[in-house]
Amino acid sequence: MKLYELVGKDKTQGFSPYVWRIRMALAHKGLPVEMVPLNFTEIPHIEGTDSKTVPVLDDQGKIIGDSWDIACYLEENYTNSPSLFGGETGKAYANFFNFVTFYNLIVPLFQTLIYDIYEGLDEKDQDYFRTSREARLGKSLEEAHEHQAESLINFQKQLWPYNTTLKSQDFLSGENPAYVDYILYGLFQWSKGVSKIQLLSEKDPLYQWRARMDDLYDGLGKVIRQK
Ligand SMILES: N[C@@H](CCC(=O)N[C@@H](CS)C(=O)NCC(=O)O)C(=O)O
């Protein structure tokens, strides 16, 4: 199995939050994977797919782009390994969680990290990134960077439900981690890989949760070093 991922100057530091959820999902299912690092401008040239984004999974020629489709594919095709969703109800909930976290967490975190991401990119990606992201933001990367502290507060304000849930359970999925934990964990991996910013304080239940997530699967997530 091959998983295409996104890197900047440092090819060992895959930073896509969407790739991280699939990396964790593959480890959850005990499936070995070869990572294929790509820069932004290489993604449209992945053979066998017209996907413009990563993750892209190549399972012996079966090629799937989009993290949700990959998670569903793994769940449907690797039924002897531990479940990612815990049944149909859990799958429907994970789908909802995907959109909730996109809206409440990814959007403010994107604004917080945008300039740091730009700085870490391979030079050949920087023009593309600037043009596409400035169009999306409606402002320059530098303007977004000026408001970094404010964007961080907007992100942190959204953490209350996660922190409160994790006061009484070890993982968002209960006693053991599953796909919704991997969705959330991907966001912290993203930030860690591209920015010096600290998203959490030690007293946050999320801080302990992230440490538990870091320890899973022989410390897989620890390959990302804090910038
Ligand atoms: N809905 C997609 C989103 C994936 C996505 O946005 N990936 C970003 C990296 S974090 C990407 O590949 N972007 C390429 C580009 O913007 O050119 C999924 O869940 O897989």
Side-chain angles (χ1 to χ4, degrees):
M1 243 186 234
K2 279 199 265 186
L3 184 65
Y4 293 88
E5 67 169 338
L6 173 64
V7 295
K9 286 187 193 100
D10 185 340
K11 306 277 177 268
T12 69
Q13 299 292 288
F15 62 82
S16 162
Y18 299 100
V19 172
W20 265 103
R21 53 183 77 171
I22 297 304
R23 253 183 118 166
M24 297 299 285
L26 288 164
H28 178 104
K29 288 212 165 269
L31 298 168
V33 66
E34 179 198 336
M35 300 304 295
V36 185
L38 297 178
N39 295 128
F40 269 112
T41 46
E42 292 170 333
I43 294 173
H45 308 295
I46 301 173
E47 265 181 48
T49 174
D50 51 14
S51 179
K52 302 277 181 286
T53 58
V54 289
V56 170
L57 182 77
D58 180 346
D59 185 7
Q60 296 181 330
K62 168 87 185 156
I63 300 182
I64 309 145
D66 189 76
S67 60
W68 179 251
D69 290 348
I70 297 171
C72 293
Y73 168 84
L74 295 174
E75 189 73 344
E76 277 157 32
N77 289 277
Y78 292 92
T79 47
N80 290 332
S81 334
S83 170
L84 289 170
F85 303 131
E88 282 305 310
T89 307
K91 179 177 170 183
Y93 173 69
N95 189 24
F96 169 70
F97 187 90
N98 200 359
F99 290 114
V100 169
T101 52
F102 178 78
Y103 188 71
N104 292 335
L105 299 178
I106 293 210
V107 171
L109 193 52
F110 169 73
Q111 306 212 356
T112 310
L113 300 177
I114 190 85
Y115 194 79
D116 295 334
I117 298 173
Y118 172 76
E119 286 204 309
L121 291 179
D122 194 293
E123 262 174 40
K124 67 175 193 238
D125 274 358
Q126 283 184 327
D127 282 349
Y128 162 74
F129 189 80
R130 176 180 287 282
T131 312
S132 57
R133 271 42 181 190
E134 288 186 346
R136 200 181 288 176
L137 285 165
K139 56 182 147 191
S140 71
L141 297 182
E142 286 72 14
E143 275 173 82
H145 193 51
E146 277 167 31
H147 295 105
Q148 189 179 41
E150 209 176 304
S151 302
L152 176 63
I153 291 169
N154 289 338
F155 170 79
Q156 287 170 329
K157 275 189 196 154
Q158 301 297 329
L159 296 178
W160 182 85
Y162 308 91
N163 274 318
T164 307
T165 303
L166 292 167
K167 278 185 193 164
S168 56
Q169 57 194 63
D170 276 356
F171 296 98
L172 294 175
S173 307
E175 279 179 27
N176 296 298
Y179 195 63
V180 294
D181 291 276
Y182 306 142
I183 291 179
L184 189 64
Y185 184 63
L187 306 196
F188 291 99
Q189 290 292 86
W190 181 27
S191 176
K192 191 176 165 195
V194 301
S195 176
K196 291 190 171 42
I197 222 159
Q198 297 296 327
L199 299 179
L200 300 172
S201 86
E202 281 181 37
K203 62 176 175 34
D204 292 333
L206 272 167
Y207 189 94
Q208 299 307 329
W209 166 85
R210 188 179 53 184
R212 287 192 283 278
M213 296 297 292
D214 282 341
D215 285 340
L216 294 174
Y217 315 123
D218 300 321
L220 174 62
K222 292 181 193 163
V223 300
I224 298 297
R225 298 179 303 273
Q226 179 78 54
K227 262 265 175 171

